[in-house]
């Protein structure tokens, strides 16, 4: 297997170069999602992104470098959303409920699935040397939940007996598994049920009925 050649770092590019690179990544992510990794080729990507072959090779000289960049791009979108103010650092049960309610109320979730999860399902079937980067992306997502649960423990909102890593894995697995089942069923119900059950389990560690809710100031 050839050594992965990393693509030029975005911060070293001009504004025009960053825009071109971002356009290529967006189109690559869409093609990989709809066609798969192996079925996505340079010609398709070149046409979709409106770039020349030399431009494509300049930013992404190998397929591995392209897939690595797509992983980073998709992961950043997911992580930025989860780190936003909407979920208040996941340091209370209301934040986890809001997260579950958001996806349960997003009817297109059963059509679109999880962008990072869909990418993972494609990549694990290939021999591209990018599995470590993909695993690291999911680790960072899980860590958002774990860190929030640890803060809940520090604030006395849930029991010290709770295992933050185990609970974070449960929440992420509920989302990924629920999303897949929702896609198969073409119905949001499996995802809604999985997320509700995961958050309900987290609530069993609450020190008091309202321990997971931030107090008014």
């Amino acid at each position: 297997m050839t050594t992965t050649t990393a693509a030029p770092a975005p911060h070293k590019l001009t504004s025009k170069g960053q825009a071109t690179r971002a356009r290529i990544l967006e189109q690559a992510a869409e093609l990989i999602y709809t066609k798969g990794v192996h079925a996505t080729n340079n010609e398709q990507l070149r046409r979709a992104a409106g770039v020349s072959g030399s431009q494509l090779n300049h930013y992404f000289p190998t397929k591995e470098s392209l897939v690595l960049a797509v992983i980073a791009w998709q992961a950043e979108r997911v992580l930025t959303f989860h780190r936003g103010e909407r979920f208040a650092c996941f340091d209370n049960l209301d934040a986890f409920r809001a997260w579950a309610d958001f996806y349960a109320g997003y009817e297109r979730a059963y059509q679109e699935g999880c962008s990072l999860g869909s990418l993972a399902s494609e990549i694990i079937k290939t021999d591209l040397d990018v599995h470590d980067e993909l695993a690291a992306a999911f680790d960072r997502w899980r860590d958002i939940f774990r860190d929030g649960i640890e803060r809940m423990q520090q604030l006395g909102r849930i029991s010290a007996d709770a295992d933050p890593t185990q609970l974070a894995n449960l929440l992420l697995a509920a989302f990924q598994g629920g999303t897949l089942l929702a896609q198969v069923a073409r119905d949001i119900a499996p995802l809604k049920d999985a997320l509700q059950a995961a958050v309900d389990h987290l609530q069993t560690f609450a020190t008091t009925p309202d321990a997971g809710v931030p107090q008014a100031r």
Side-chain angles (χ1 to χ4, degrees):
M1 181 176 296
T2 57
T3 302
T4 299
T5 304
H11 68 273
K12 294 181 180 179
L13 303 175
T14 64
S15 296
K16 183 177 180 180
Q18 290 176 2
T20 300
R21 185 179 187 277
R23 187 168 71 252
I24 293 171
L25 283 176
E26 185 174 2
Q27 294 301 324
E30 179 63 23
L31 285 169
I32 289 172
Y33 176 77
T34 56
K35 297 179 177 295
V37 175
H38 284 310
T40 297
N41 58 49
N42 283 0
E43 180 61 23
Q44 293 169 338
L45 182 53
R46 188 189 65 75
R47 290 199 305 268
V51 297
S52 66
S54 60
Q55 282 179 302
L56 182 58
N57 290 332
H58 171 71
Y59 294 110
F60 305 106
T62 68
K63 192 157 193 175
E64 286 184 4
S65 67
L66 174 65
V67 174
L68 281 170
V70 170
I71 291 170
W73 184 78
Q74 291 284 27
E76 189 57 32
R77 294 178 68 200
V78 171
L79 298 178
T80 297
F81 176 71
H82 282 73
R83 289 170 178 154
E85 295 182 0
R86 178 194 294 265
F87 304 122
C89 299
F90 289 102
D91 65 0
N92 61 81
L93 281 170
D94 270 1
F96 283 100
R97 291 286 180 202
W99 170 72
D101 289 345
F102 172 82
Y103 283 106
Y106 185 52
E107 292 295 335
R108 291 176 61 188
Y110 75 85
Q111 297 173 320
E112 298 176 355
C114 171
S115 58
L116 195 56
S118 296
L119 182 61
S121 68
E122 282 295 327
I123 290 175
I124 60 176
K125 295 181 289 186
T126 74
D127 59 357
L128 295 174
D129 190 16
V130 297
H131 291 71
D132 288 348
E133 288 76 9
L134 185 61
F138 278 98
D139 284 346
R140 291 195 296 273
W141 189 352
R142 180 202 61 197
D143 289 349
I144 292 175
F145 296 148
R146 186 199 63 194
D147 293 347
I149 295 168
E150 287 179 346
R151 283 191 291 272
M152 290 174 69
Q153 287 181 317
Q154 294 164 4
L155 293 167
R157 291 172 178 163
I158 64 172
S159 169
D161 294 334
D163 184 330
T165 299
Q166 184 182 70
L167 290 169
N169 281 330
L170 171 63
L171 289 159
L172 186 54
F175 178 77
Q176 292 298 326
T179 299
L180 176 60
L181 292 176
Q183 284 186 286
V184 172
R186 296 185 178 276
D187 186 344
I188 201 68
L191 176 59
K192 181 178 180 181
D193 291 344
L195 294 181
Q196 181 176 324
V199 178
D200 284 349
H201 181 66
L202 174 61
Q203 189 169 8
T204 65
F205 293 96
T207 53
T208 64
D210 61 350
V213 182
Q215 299 299 312
R217 296 181 179 177

